[in-house]
Amino acid sequence: MGKNIVEKILEAHKVYGGLKPGDPVRVKVDQVYTQDATGTMAWLQFEAIGIDRVRVPLAVSYVDHNMIQSDYMNPDDHMFLQTIAAKYGAYFSRPGNGICHQVHLEQFATPGKIALGTDSHTPTGGGMGMLAIGVGGLDAATVMAGAPFEITMPHVVKVNLKGKLNRPWVTAMDVILEILRRLSVKGGVGKIMEYGGPGVRDLDVTERATITNMGAELGATTSVFPSDRRTLLYLSAAGRASDWTELSPDKGARYSERIDIDLSSIEPMIAQPHSPDNVVTVKSLSGKKVDQVCIGSCTNSSYQAMKAVASVLKGNTVSEGVNLLINPGSRQVHEMISREGLASDMIAAGARMLESSCGPCIGMGGAPGSDQVSVRSYNRNFKGRSGTKDAFVYLASPVSCAVFALRGEIVDPREAGIELKASRGPKKYVINRSFIMPPKADTSAVRVIKGPNIKDVPVKEPLRDTIEAVVLLRLGDNITTDDIMPAGSKVLPFRSNIPAISEFVFKNIDESFSGRAKEAKAGGGGIIVGGDNYGQGSSREHAAIAPMYLGVQAVIAKSFARIHRSNLINFGILPLLFRSAGDHDRIEKGDRLVIRDVIGSLNGGRVFKVEDPTKSYTFEVTSDLNEREKNVVIKGGLLPFTRQGSEGV
Ligand code: MIC
Ligand code: SF4
């Protein structure tokens, strides 16, 4: 039987398991990378496992998120990451070198390989024909220590592309926004999106990467493109032609589902506040005043995207009422646009150039003002993520953004009277690897430097057989990890300090959460009740570790987002599912729930009776944990489980 690309890659890396949807499958991983905001935990956990060198062919530690150095905390983290990478045999990408996904695409992404990254936008590498999956830090740490990676085999969806984009004003960003409009932020849960069809030929690797990057917003496990002549062109321009292999599905390959997209029918699209799937045409919002425009992020900051933006801005002036911020995705891109005078065109037009990092995307500076409208070429517009709770953040393509910056309002870029030539990727990239420090053979003299804000990772006690806990919050659908564990310049510096960061859990939803959780901890702990797709968004395991630290024992939801579900398990919090969704509405904040025979039920029928003795109601919840996940939770999490040798490391 013909195989699709996903099956081919998994088959070539399989250690055991099946490839039918729902089967657990364990694979050998070729590449693991971390970024600083999740990486300090990942590396502390790696250290706690007690291995003397990484046991994957390639490991890279990036620094790109926590770049504002308003005190010692972020630079201390950078130094920790630099020294620990040196100690354990990983590459280190220095601060300022660029956003992990963009730099990884340029320097390391390879067709047919499997990569894990401690960031939800790791699927960017899917544009290169790599199976690139976002994971929590502890999953990355155990894989770096030599364990195979386990996933539950997703459904593989064929996204069949035909036609050609109406360049230059219609871009890959508009394609993924259109897919989000159709499928929603839940549309990809439990699925891998495999792109194919004649339209693939129209897209450069960096454009494909924009689409796979934002597959994260669909909730998809990952997204992947074939590796073809265009992939070879990109790799040749990047000086890595020898990394190329062809990759395409067999004739007769099977898919669980098929979606057809005609590229020529796509028009400029825009996501409205406060969700990336709240998508409409740009035209329909014509005339809306814009206060801020941000261009860049891991979604849209390739050389090609920046060149197009520079051409729009050239000879023009940013509107009086607009702040335009640009963060090129990597030092390489920044260096190239500087050498070619494109950065000068941006500056002359009035752009504020930021360093190559995540910046405003994660609220690290560049927050909009109160009630302001900010349009960004980024991937997430969750409420408050920009750093300003009452701002209105929209998402659009880099060229649409550039036009809005000039006009001061949303306008269909095709009708703005601006000339723009379609631009393709360069024949040769400027290759400067001086900011990527390769692993050393002899690491005996390396001392890992830990600043005073870097605290040990807390570990939970084994799972209790009776959970008696207070409902701390009852929430609706699509709760994001930004809701659970906010980011931004005030919170992110505490990523290496769980006691300190736990004060911010659910801060934007309920100021009193951490105080109430601490009180409840003394009397048995807390329970969180969620709706569908609980924990969508980022890979930050702090959204699990900090609640665990505050005594949360279980989360009961209608369904979970993949990475957050794994993070809960990895830190010993039991994820439970409503048997009947209607029970969600009966529960109230403050209810005291009792679940008995937890371990027996986990080992048996996986149905748990939940009682509320004071209100005398009961309902049932279930568990979908597989064998390994069950054993991990029972031990209190993946760290104690791995330390006992259960992961084979
Ligand atoms: C994000 O875009 O939300 C982040 C910040 O990159 C996160 C990782 C983190 O919270 O550190 C992600 O996407 O996984
Ligand atoms: Fe950085 Fe934003 Fe990309 Fe996350 S989504 S990796 S914060 S640029």
Side-chain angles (χ1 to χ4, degrees):
M1 196 180 66
K3 289 196 175 67
N4 58 44
I5 292 175
V6 174
E7 288 166 339
K8 283 187 179 181
I9 299 178
L10 289 175
E11 193 67 61
H13 290 80
K14 199 171 90 179
V15 180
Y16 77 73
L19 295 182
K20 280 201 309 305
D23 284 349
V25 49
R26 300 203 100 188
V27 290
K28 275 236 152 301
V29 170
D30 304 300
Q31 310 185 345
V32 178
Y33 66 92
T34 59
Q35 44 92 333
D36 52 341
T38 51
T40 51
M41 277 294 132
W43 284 100
L44 285 168
Q45 288 160 161
F46 177 83
E47 192 183 38
I49 295 171
I51 304 289
D52 55 4
R53 200 173 171 91
V54 293
R55 294 185 184 160
V56 280
L58 178 93
V60 193
S61 167
Y62 292 95
V63 175
D64 52 2
H65 283 65
N66 289 356
M67 299 291 283
I68 293 180
Q69 299 177 202
S70 52
D71 61 23
Y72 62 94
M73 292 196 265
N74 289 341
D76 278 3
D77 280 358
H78 303 168
M79 185 47 70
F80 166 69
L81 289 166
Q82 178 161 358
T83 51
I84 201 150
K87 182 82 194 163
Y88 293 113
Y91 283 83
F92 179 67
S93 174
R94 295 170 65 182
N97 200 39
I99 306 174
C100 56
H101 310 303
Q102 175 66 27
V103 180
H104 205 80
L105 191 74
E106 291 165 358
Q107 306 291 346
F108 299 110
T110 305
K113 301 273 187 209
I114 295 185
L116 300 184
T118 62
D119 191 283
S120 64
H121 290 103
T122 302
T124 312
M128 184 71 89
M130 180 163 82
L131 210 63
I133 301 177
V135 294
L138 187 46
D139 279 324
T142 51
V143 169
M144 288 197 290
F149 174 62
E150 182 178 279
I151 51 164
T152 304
M153 184 63 193
H155 290 272
V156 182
V157 178
K158 165 94 178 252
V159 187
N160 188 48
L161 303 180
K162 60 174 194 185
K164 284 184 172 178
L165 288 177
N166 280 313
R167 296 168 192 277
W169 297 114
V170 181
T171 71
M173 178 67 166
D174 302 300
V175 177
I176 187 65
L177 286 174
E178 167 61 16
I179 297 176
L180 274 154
R181 187 188 70 78
R182 290 201 206 172
L183 302 187
S184 90
V185 291
K186 293 190 280 194
V189 174
K191 298 175 184 172
I192 295 182
M193 316 305 279
E194 181 178 313
Y195 288 82
V200 163
R201 280 199 299 274
D202 185 46
L203 301 172
D204 286 343
V205 164
T206 52
E207 296 175 318
R208 297 173 184 181
T210 292
I211 293 173
T212 58
N213 169 287
M214 240 181 134
E217 277 50 67
L218 293 167
T221 301
T222 189
S223 306
V224 65
F225 270 83
S227 168
D228 56 9
R229 303 287 309 163
R230 279 212 184 275
T231 322
L232 178 59
L233 273 178
Y234 178 90
L235 281 169
S236 306
R240 298 200 286 126
S242 59
D243 283 347
W244 184 72
T245 42
E246 195 168 5
L247 195 60
S248 58
D250 290 335
K251 271 212 164 54
R254 295 230 231 139
Y255 297 89
S256 303
E257 214 181 305
R258 179 182 152 129
I259 296 168
D260 288 297
I261 306 272
D262 180 1
L263 296 177
S264 49
S265 71
I266 306 268
E267 48 180 308
M269 305 300 281
I270 186 164
Q272 308 175 94
H274 296 285
S275 181
D277 61 358
N278 190 11
V279 174
V280 294
T281 59
V282 168
K283 207 184 182 72
S284 69
L285 298 185
S286 288
K288 181 160 208 47
K289 188 180 172 309
V290 170
D291 304 291
Q292 186 195 51
V293 171
C294 302
I295 301 177
S297 93
C298 59
T299 311
N300 278 305
S301 57
S302 63
Y303 166 81
Q304 187 187 349
M306 289 293 145
K307 186 173 176 187
V309 167
S311 317
V312 174
L313 297 178
K314 187 174 180 162
N316 291 312
T317 306
V318 170
S319 163
E320 211 179 293
V322 176
N323 249 290
L324 170 63
L325 310 177
I326 300 181
N327 53 327
S330 68
R331 177 176 292 274
Q332 176 172 299
V333 171
H334 209 157
E335 184 176 340
M336 285 177 72
I337 62 171
S338 305
R339 284 182 191 277
E340 294 173 18
L342 303 171
S344 315
D345 294 335
M346 293 171 168
I347 293 166
R352 293 167 60 182
M353 299 302 285
L354 306 178
E355 63 179 326
S356 297
S357 70
C358 299
C361 179
I362 193 56
M364 262 287 157
S370 306
D371 279 326
Q372 284 192 350
V373 168
S374 175
V375 191
R376 302 169 162 213
S377 73
Y378 300 173
N379 50 43
R380 289 187 176 141
N381 58 345
F382 306 141
K383 198 171 171 56
R385 179 175 159 102
S386 64
T388 304
K389 250 187 174 172
D390 55 8
F392 298 92
V393 178
Y394 294 71
L395 309 171
S397 78
V399 283
S400 291
C401 283
V403 171
F404 306 160
L406 296 180
R407 293 290 177 264
E409 59 180 32
I410 294 179
V411 46
D412 187 329
R414 296 167 299 185
E415 291 162 10
I418 296 173
E419 281 284 314
L420 176 64
K421 279 213 244 54
S423 56
R424 288 284 191 185
K427 291 224 159 45
K428 275 268 158 287
Y429 283 96
V430 168
I431 298 155
N432 176 356
R433 285 189 125 199
S434 61
F435 264 63
I436 299 182
M437 297 157 75
K440 299 178 180 28
D442 179 9
T443 63
S444 52
V446 180
R447 194 172 63 86
V448 176
I449 302 173
K450 281 187 198 163
N453 185 48
I454 300 178
K455 306 280 188 233
D456 289 344
V457 189
V459 178
K460 191 178 167 288
E461 75 286 351
L463 187 68
R464 298 179 194 160
D465 199 36
T466 300
I467 294 178
E468 195 172 347
V470 176
V471 175
L472 297 169
L473 268 186
R474 190 194 66 181
L475 302 147
D477 293 344
N478 296 324
I479 289 296
T480 70
T481 52
D482 282 81
D483 294 324
I484 306 170
M485 184 77 258
S489 57
K490 295 196 185 74
V491 186
L492 282 167
F494 296 113
R495 283 288 181 96
S496 317
N497 182 342
I498 299 299
I501 207 167
S502 67
E503 298 295 324
F504 297 91
V505 176
F506 283 116
K507 194 84 176 169
N508 292 336
I509 290 190
D510 178 350
E511 281 274 345
S512 66
F513 182 90
S514 64
R516 289 189 297 107
K518 275 188 253 171
E519 266 169 40
K521 189 174 179 179
I527 287 182
I528 295 166
V529 174
D532 261 323
N533 201 21
Y534 180 79
Q536 69 152 331
S538 86
S539 70
R540 66 189 68 146
E541 57 190 353
H542 302 76
I545 314 179
M548 177 274 276
Y549 179 79
L550 293 174
V552 172
Q553 304 294 317
V555 178
I556 307 176
K558 293 182 191 168
S559 65
F560 290 90
R562 176 187 63 88
I563 308 180
H564 186 59
R565 177 182 171 281
S566 298
N567 286 336
L568 290 172
I569 296 165
N570 287 351
F571 291 95
I573 297 180
L574 188 60
L576 293 168
L577 295 159
F578 283 105
R579 199 161 199 199
S580 156
D583 288 327
H584 171 272
D585 300 346
R586 292 170 57 188
I587 305 173
E588 280 176 297
K589 183 163 134 181
D591 286 358
R592 195 166 182 85
L593 303 181
V594 185
I595 316 174
R596 293 178 216 282
D597 190 27
V598 173
I599 294 173
S601 309
L602 262 183
N603 285 321
R606 305 279 171 97
V607 178
F608 308 72
K609 190 176 273 162
V610 187
E611 302 158 42
D612 182 338
T614 47
K615 288 195 179 153
S616 66
Y617 72 89
T618 55
F619 60 95
E620 285 180 339
V621 294
T622 61
S623 158
D624 63 353
L625 300 189
N626 66 28
E627 258 321 277
R628 173 181 164 275
E629 290 170 337
K630 177 193 83 182
N631 293 327
V632 169
V633 169
I634 290 175
K635 286 276 181 296
L638 187 55
L639 206 50
F641 184 74
T642 306
R643 274 190 189 143
Q644 287 170 4
S646 310
E647 281 294 79
V649 296

